[in-house]
Amino acid sequence: LDRVMMGNYSDHVDNDNTSQSLLTHVQTISSVPEDLDHKSTIAEMRLHPSGRFLFVGNRGHNSIAVYKTDPDTGTLTLVDIQSSHGAFPRHFNFDTTGRYLVVGNHSSDNVVAFRIQETGKLEMVDIIENVPSV
């Protein structure tokens, strides 16, 4: 904490000497299929309120990747890569119960609601079309 409060911190997680690092490299994992042949970038990542799953929005692949988290090691295991049912997922969040994930797709002007299953997989339950984005 003292190093963060000092400011001017810079380091890289791949450095050999991590004794002064704030972060430690644990794992490298893709959020899109291995055979993807076009550009896709991560738009957002959110940890489920339970801490059991990490959700990652992919712009370009137009999907939400779901990972199960391991609380002991910090590693992630891919559960599913679900279509966002629109183009360019811009933002997503959980409802107050943590049972639903709502995704705003920027380029297709729609909002999609997913039920989060016990496994972390997403089930599309509703879609609102023609929601203008600025």
Side-chain angles (χ1 to χ4, degrees), residues 48 53 55 64 66 79-80 82-85 93-95 97-103 111-127:
H48 187 268
F53 302 104
F55 296 83
I64 306 292
V66 183
V79 171
D80 196 21
Q82 165 70 52
S83 169
S84 68
H85 292 278
N93 212 340
F94 308 102
D95 78 316
T97 69
R99 293 186 302 212
Y100 295 91
L101 181 80
V102 179
V103 178
V111 176
V112 183
F114 295 92
R115 179 178 294 114
I116 302 169
Q117 299 175 359
E118 187 60 32
T119 61
K121 285 189 174 187
L122 298 173
E123 174 190 359
M124 199 267 284
V125 294
D126 203 1
I127 186 166

Side-chain angles (χ1 to χ4, degrees), residues 25-132:
H25 181 266
V26 174
Q27 178 183 23
T28 301
I29 191 166
S30 179
S31 63
V32 294
E34 301 275 332
D35 60 351
L36 186 68
D37 63 355
H38 60 276
K39 183 179 179 179
S40 185
T41 58
I42 292 176
E44 182 168 19
M45 293 187 288
R46 287 198 178 268
L47 185 64
H48 187 268
S50 70
R52 294 177 52 216
F53 302 104
L54 178 72
F55 296 83
V56 178
N58 296 304
R59 294 181 187 167
H61 187 252
N62 300 323
S63 62
I64 306 292
V66 183
Y67 300 94
K68 184 173 182 359
T69 61
D70 183 316
D72 297 323
T73 64
T75 58
L76 302 173
T77 303
L78 181 65
V79 171
D80 196 21
I81 300 175
Q82 165 70 52
S83 169
S84 68
H85 292 278
F88 224 69
R90 177 122 183 128
H91 181 69
F92 62 89
N93 212 340
F94 308 102
D95 78 316
T96 57
T97 69
R99 293 186 302 212
Y100 295 91
L101 181 80
V102 179
V103 178
N105 290 296
H106 181 89
S107 294
S108 56
D109 293 336
N110 65 4
V111 176
V112 183
F114 295 92
R115 179 178 294 114
I116 302 169
Q117 299 175 359
E118 187 60 32
T119 61
K121 285 189 174 187
L122 298 173
E123 174 190 359
M124 199 267 284
V125 294
D126 203 1
I127 186 166
I128 301 171
E129 300 287 355
N130 302 314
V131 179

